[in-house]
């Protein structure tokens, strides 16, 4: 089965994988024939969104979550931009392909896909080998063993700005309602404002 290169939304639902044919007729009316129907349906221009530019993402540097569960059999990930909305096409190892509307799945990128972050992380792994904690004739130490188990770091985690400060900047938050979970005196509270 040929996978379409476009992401087509008909009346708010992704339909590209179900279409046999789509064309634009006079007055901007879309003529759509679905694979499971001999009939051609007509839709107003406002009922159809046709996204033609797909962006390929390296699935080795991503994690895909559907309803909070990680999908482990993903072999291809494409995104389609509609303004500030991102829609996704996910291909699974079984050959099954599914389109997902913005917000229906979560796609998380590893900051280790970034060259600077990866190099910084490799440097930290080498530094960890100097630590004597847990070292003996049979074991290289606790820290190196822990570092070796890490192959994915969510780019939204607090460690990302330490691995590449230029790309993963720490966000600042301004609030007039500061919370002091352990209490504070008047001078401490005043210095925080």
């Amino acid at each position: 089965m040929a996978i379409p290169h476009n992401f087509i939304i008909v009346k708010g639902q992704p339909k590209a994988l179900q279409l046999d044919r789509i064309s634009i007729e006079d007055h901007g009316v879309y003529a759509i024939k679905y694979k499971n129907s001999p009939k051609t349906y007509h839709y107003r221009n406002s009922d159809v969104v046709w996204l033609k530019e797909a962006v390929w993402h390296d699935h080795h540097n991503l994690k895909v979550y559907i309803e909070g569960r990680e999908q482990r059999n993903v072999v291809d990930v494409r995104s389609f931009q509609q303004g500030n909305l991102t829609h996704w096409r996910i291909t699974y190892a079984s050959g099954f392909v599914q389109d997902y509307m913005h917000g229906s799945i979560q796609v998380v990128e590893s900051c280790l896909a970034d060259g600077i972050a990866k190099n910084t992380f490799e440097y930290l792994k080498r530094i960890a080998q100097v630590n004597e904690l847990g070292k003996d004739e049979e074991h290289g130490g606790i820290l190196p063993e822990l570092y070796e188990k890490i192959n994915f770091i969510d780019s939204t985690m607090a460690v990302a700005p330490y691995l590449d400060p230029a790309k993963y900047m720490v966000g600042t938050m301004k609030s007039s309602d500061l919370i002091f979970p352990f209490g504070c005196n008047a001078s401490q509270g005043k210095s925080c404002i």
Side-chain angles (χ1 to χ4, degrees), residues 8 10-11 21-33 40-50:
I8 298 170
V10 179
K11 293 191 171 187
R21 204 171 46 244
I22 182 171
S23 61
I24 302 175
E25 295 183 343
D26 294 336
H27 309 293
V29 172
Y30 284 90
I32 296 177
K33 182 183 175 308
T40 299
Y41 296 87
H42 293 85
Y43 296 93
R44 292 185 310 242
N45 185 291
S46 60
D47 289 338
V48 179
V49 177
W50 191 345

Side-chain angles (χ1 to χ4, degrees), residues 59-77:
H59 69 282
H60 295 103
N61 296 314
L62 296 174
K63 287 190 179 185
V64 176
Y65 295 92
I66 299 175
E67 296 178 358
R69 287 185 293 217
E70 182 182 349
Q71 306 299 297
R72 299 196 179 272
N73 54 353
V74 172
V75 296
D76 190 72
V77 178

Side-chain angles (χ1 to χ4, degrees), residues 84-103:
N84 61 353
L85 305 178
T86 304
H87 307 296
W88 299 93
R89 176 166 295 143
I90 308 296
T91 305
Y92 297 91
S94 65
F96 179 70
V97 181
Q98 183 70 41
D99 284 348
Y100 297 93
M101 295 292 287
H102 177 83

Side-chain angles (χ1 to χ4, degrees), residues 11-170:
K11 293 191 171 187
Q13 296 298 315
K15 297 290 185 181
L17 300 172
Q18 300 162 9
L19 300 184
D20 181 40
R21 204 171 46 244
I22 182 171
S23 61
I24 302 175
E25 295 183 343
D26 294 336
H27 309 293
V29 172
Y30 284 90
I32 296 177
K33 182 183 175 308
Y34 293 95
K35 292 177 182 175
N36 60 355
S37 174
K39 185 178 176 186
T40 299
Y41 296 87
H42 293 85
Y43 296 93
R44 292 185 310 242
N45 185 291
S46 60
D47 289 338
V48 179
V49 177
W50 191 345
L51 305 173
K52 299 178 181 182
E53 299 293 324
V55 176
W56 176 82
H57 301 270
D58 184 359
H59 69 282
H60 295 103
N61 296 314
L62 296 174
K63 287 190 179 185
V64 176
Y65 295 92
I66 299 175
E67 296 178 358
R69 287 185 293 217
E70 182 182 349
Q71 306 299 297
R72 299 196 179 272
N73 54 353
V74 172
V75 296
D76 190 72
V77 178
R78 313 270 166 152
S79 67
F80 297 83
Q81 208 63 35
Q82 179 190 3
N84 61 353
L85 305 178
T86 304
H87 307 296
W88 299 93
R89 176 166 295 143
I90 308 296
T91 305
Y92 297 91
S94 65
F96 179 70
V97 181
Q98 183 70 41
D99 284 348
Y100 297 93
M101 295 292 287
H102 177 83
S104 62
I105 67 171
Q106 182 182 15
V107 179
V108 179
E109 182 182 15
S110 174
C111 66
L112 296 179
D114 170 42
I116 293 171
K118 185 173 184 167
N119 288 340
T120 304
F121 187 71
E122 292 299 322
Y123 172 75
L124 293 173
K125 283 171 72 172
R126 287 194 303 272
I127 294 289
Q129 294 172 356
V130 176
N131 189 309
E132 296 294 324
L133 185 63
K135 274 192 178 180
D136 57 26
E137 294 85 30
E138 296 176 18
H139 298 89
I142 293 172
L143 279 179
E145 288 177 12
L146 291 173
Y147 270 105
E148 284 305 318
K149 293 178 183 177
I150 300 171
N151 60 11
F152 188 94
I153 298 175
D154 184 336
S155 60
T156 62
M157 291 182 71
V159 71
Y162 293 100
L163 297 176
D164 187 351
K167 184 171 182 180
Y168 306 103
M169 298 175 66
V170 177

